[in-house]
Amino acid sequence: MNWKSEISAAANRINGYVQVTPVMESRALGLGYPVEMKLEHLQHTGSFKARGAFNTLLSSDVPDAGVVAASGGNHGAAAAYAARSLGYPAKIFVPEIAGPSKIALIEQTGADLSVVPGEYANALMGAQEHEEATGAMQIHAYDAPATVAGQGTCFAEWEAQGLQADTVLIAVGGGGLIAGALGWFQGARKIVAVEPETSCALNAALQAGEPVDVTVSGIAANALGARRIGSICFGLAQGMTSVLVSDEAIAEAQQLLWQAHRILVEPAGATALAALLSGAYQPEPGERVAVLICGGNISPNPLGA
Amino acid sequence: MNWKSEISAAANRINGYVQVTPVMESRALGLGYPVEMKLEHLQHTGSFKARGAFNTLLSSDVPDAGVVAASGGNHGAAAAYAARSLGYPAKIFVPEIAGPSKIALIEQTGADLSVVPGEYANALMGAQEHEEATGAMQIHAYDAPATVAGQGTCFAEWEAQGLQADTVLIAVGGGGLIAGALGWFQGARKIVAVEPETSCALNAALQAGEPVDVTVSGIAANALGARRIGSICFGLAQGMTSVLVSDEAIAEAQQLLWQAHRILVEPAGATALAALLSGAYQPEPGERVAVLICGGNISPNPLGA
């Protein structure tokens, strides 16, 4: 697959449907060096997932049965939003750990929502059964070429906005976003995968030499809690740098983003930054670093509605 | 005063001390037209006030007694932050309505803080007494040339970032920020002043033909509740468009910024947008509009710390 051209095509396809998200450089994080950030949590439905969802729908013949998606919450909200924007019915499966904010976000789109016990993998089973029973088209959360190409547009956009960094740190769940980064940058910049110690499907796969099942838990599980890394991501990730961070480090990064910049994010959105704050990734002298802020769907809603 | 050159000089002076804040264009606000936004609430200490505070300190001989500021909260936090950054002692007076988040923010800088009963005007009296008693240098919240020139750098920066708008909507308290905008744009773009119905010192002054005292209350009073518009602002504001918004419209704008973009701001930060949502300001067909998001110091702290 020529990812660079797939991602360029996706960027043209979804232009106007997704938000061009702002970028900034911070020297206020107490690190002694500047950090470029892309505020992708300001994307429609609060995460990068809208990119992959729109790219999937805009490059497909959607059947009358509409679309179906399984999600920890963010992908479901994005799929439901994209489906509504384009006039398709949507059925979304989420696990209970999606939490009230993400569930409310999906309900607001008018999608048909099923909340299932357990974790993301259980929601995926529900979506697959629905797909088989109805003929609805599944929008995969991370392990499909159209999804990966859509997420990759985030990095094409960032380069067009003047990204300087030698190294880009990205939080990983199922690997759709980081696969998009690897596909776009093609080694031109170093990509660092950051996962919670409690949900680390990519790290486990890199150690095992193949995708393996992991258990998932912790404060970012409803966004990063994939039980097994996607095969597209795994194929692109060989030899890459992978680091782990504790839940405490994630919570500290979340606090710092609010204290230093009034950026309020969910734990997954602070996970990449946590690798710098905790020292899990230590840049070399002069190495310029960037962090993707990937999701903002914190629970409960801070305005109480 | 040649405001354009004063503001250019201020921008050079404070470069590196303040955050270059990101900009974005939103089509997700349900208005049927795009809105450019500058996310100035991501500035150090959560509002544009850091610009005026740094410009004042960096253009002054600060006495051994240090600096003193009166503030509804945001200016006090900015003055305390700037003073600490530059190694000066700071004494800050705020009214009780500043609220726990802003008071905590000032305390975190290590400044000497006095919380006084009443509103901003009462804090200003305390600061003036302290200035006379100690010889400390006052950093005025809005009615001083160095403050206005500092706030004006926000608009110089926005133009350099590619601002397209014909019309820029700005929330007004004492008028330092909008004076900076009027001084920078010099009529090249239309500026619309937006005030809460419950705190509208500029609107009252424009109607009376001179600055007059108003009563202040409402949800944005701790940021926009100046009892009398600054004389610099009043001098620049002749003939400008001034609109009022209700507290309900401000609260709705605050909710929409969170729902549509995960931008969490205090009521003052949503006030300019409220003018578009409520129809208090209705752009002509084809008129391109921009909104400055000026402050994010919401109370309580959404992360509970």
Side-chain angles (χ1 to χ4, degrees):
Chain A
M1 175 107 33
N2 184 332
W3 284 109
K4 201 100 183 175
S5 67
E6 290 291 324
I7 292 166
S8 293
N12 288 330
R13 199 175 285 130
I14 69 177
N15 181 32
Y17 292 98
V18 299
Q19 179 71 48
V20 175
T21 54
V23 298
M24 64 190 289
E25 182 184 78
S26 174
R27 293 175 182 268
L29 298 170
L31 289 164
Y33 52 82
V35 178
E36 289 176 88
M37 302 192 291
K38 185 166 173 64
L39 309 184
E40 185 65 15
H41 68 296
L42 307 186
Q43 186 55 262
H44 301 315
T45 68
S47 84
F48 66 91
K49 297 282 193 179
R51 297 176 182 269
F54 273 107
N55 190 48
T56 302
L57 291 180
L58 291 167
S59 60
S60 305
D61 287 326
V62 178
D64 291 343
V67 301
V68 59
S71 167
N74 284 337
H75 172 63
Y81 175 90
R84 188 189 60 180
S85 300
L86 299 170
Y88 301 123
K91 171 77 185 178
I92 309 296
F93 291 84
V94 297
E96 284 167 350
I97 61 162
S101 284
K102 293 179 182 180
I103 287 171
L105 189 59
I106 297 168
E107 286 173 340
Q108 284 161 19
T109 67
D112 179 6
L113 175 66
S114 289
V115 181
V116 302
E119 64 196 61
Y120 167 73
N122 303 87
L124 184 58
M125 279 195 295
Q128 283 167 340
E129 288 167 14
H130 180 88
E131 182 183 9
E132 287 163 21
T134 67
M137 185 185 94
Q138 187 162 174
I139 310 179
H140 198 282
Y142 48 87
D143 203 16
T147 303
V148 169
Q151 319 310 28
T153 67
C154 185
F155 304 97
E157 183 177 291
W158 202 353
E159 284 206 319
Q161 291 170 308
L163 176 67
Q164 299 291 313
D166 305 300
T167 302
V168 183
L169 290 93
I170 302 171
V172 178
L177 179 62
I178 204 162
L182 292 162
W184 177 256
F185 290 123
Q186 296 287 336
R189 303 181 200 252
K190 180 178 181 181
I191 311 297
V192 176
V194 186
E195 291 172 285
E197 292 167 354
T198 50
S199 296
C200 56
L202 175 59
N203 191 272
L206 290 171
Q207 289 202 20
E210 62 181 339
V212 292
D213 279 358
V214 296
T215 56
V216 296
S217 64
I219 61 172
N222 79 0
L224 303 181
R227 196 184 289 176
R228 180 183 279 242
I229 197 70
S231 60
I232 296 173
C233 176
F234 184 72
L236 289 164
Q238 299 310 306
M240 79 176 302
T241 302
S242 161
V243 302
L244 302 180
V245 291
S246 68
D247 276 11
E248 292 69 28
I250 293 170
E252 282 171 23
Q254 202 182 5
Q255 278 284 353
L256 181 63
L257 282 170
W258 176 255
Q259 295 295 343
H261 285 303
R262 302 297 176 271
I263 294 173
L264 186 65
V265 297
E266 63 185 289
T271 295
L273 178 61
L276 295 176
L277 297 176
S278 67
Y281 183 76
Q282 293 187 303
E284 300 292 324
E287 182 181 346
R288 295 166 301 179
V289 298
V291 161
L292 188 79
I293 309 291
C294 59
N297 289 321
I298 195 169
S299 204
N301 179 334
L303 293 174
Chain B
M1 175 108 33
N2 183 332
W3 283 108
K4 201 102 183 176
S5 68
E6 290 292 323
I7 292 166
S8 293
N12 287 331
R13 199 175 285 131
I14 69 178
N15 180 32
Y17 292 98
V18 299
Q19 180 70 46
V20 176
T21 55
V23 298
M24 63 188 291
E25 182 185 77
S26 174
R27 293 175 182 269
L29 299 170
L31 288 164
Y33 53 83
V35 177
E36 290 176 87
M37 302 191 291
K38 185 166 174 65
L39 309 184
E40 184 65 15
H41 68 297
L42 308 185
Q43 187 55 262
H44 301 314
T45 68
S47 85
F48 65 92
K49 296 283 194 178
R51 297 176 183 270
F54 273 108
N55 190 48
T56 301
L57 291 180
L58 291 167
S59 60
S60 305
D61 287 326
V62 178
D64 291 344
V67 301
V68 59
S71 167
N74 284 337
H75 171 65
Y81 176 90
R84 188 189 59 182
S85 300
L86 299 171
Y88 301 123
K91 171 76 186 181
I92 311 294
F93 290 85
V94 297
E96 285 166 349
I97 62 163
S101 284
K102 293 179 183 180
I103 286 171
L105 189 58
I106 297 168
E107 286 172 340
Q108 283 162 20
T109 66
D112 180 6
L113 176 65
S114 288
V115 181
V116 302
E119 64 195 61
Y120 168 71
N122 303 90
L124 184 58
M125 277 195 296
Q128 284 167 339
E129 288 167 13
H130 181 88
E131 182 183 9
E132 287 163 22
T134 67
M137 185 185 93
Q138 187 162 174
I139 310 180
H140 197 280
Y142 49 86
D143 204 16
T147 303
V148 169
Q151 318 311 29
T153 65
C154 186
F155 305 97
E157 182 177 292
W158 202 353
E159 283 206 319
Q161 291 170 309
L163 177 67
Q164 298 291 313
D166 305 300
T167 302
V168 183
L169 290 92
I170 302 171
V172 177
L177 179 61
I178 204 162
L182 292 162
W184 177 257
F185 290 124
Q186 295 287 336
R189 303 182 200 250
K190 181 178 180 180
I191 311 297
V192 176
V194 186
E195 290 171 285
E197 293 168 352
T198 50
S199 296
C200 56
L202 175 57
N203 191 270
L206 290 171
Q207 288 201 20
E210 62 181 339
V212 292
D213 279 359
V214 297
T215 56
V216 297
S217 64
I219 61 172
N222 80 0
L224 304 181
R227 195 185 289 176
R228 181 182 278 242
I229 197 68
S231 58
I232 296 174
C233 176
F234 185 73
L236 289 164
Q238 299 310 305
M240 80 175 302
T241 301
S242 162
V243 302
L244 301 180
V245 292
S246 68
D247 276 12
E248 292 70 27
I250 294 169
E252 283 171 23
Q254 202 183 4
Q255 278 286 352
L256 181 63
L257 281 170
W258 176 256
Q259 295 295 344
H261 284 303
R262 301 296 174 274
I263 294 172
L264 186 65
V265 296
E266 64 184 290
T271 295
L273 178 62
L276 296 176
L277 298 175
S278 67
Y281 183 76
Q282 294 186 303
E284 300 292 324
E287 182 181 346
R288 295 167 301 180
V289 298
V291 161
L292 187 80
I293 309 292
C294 59
N297 288 323
I298 196 168
S299 202
N301 179 334
L303 294 174

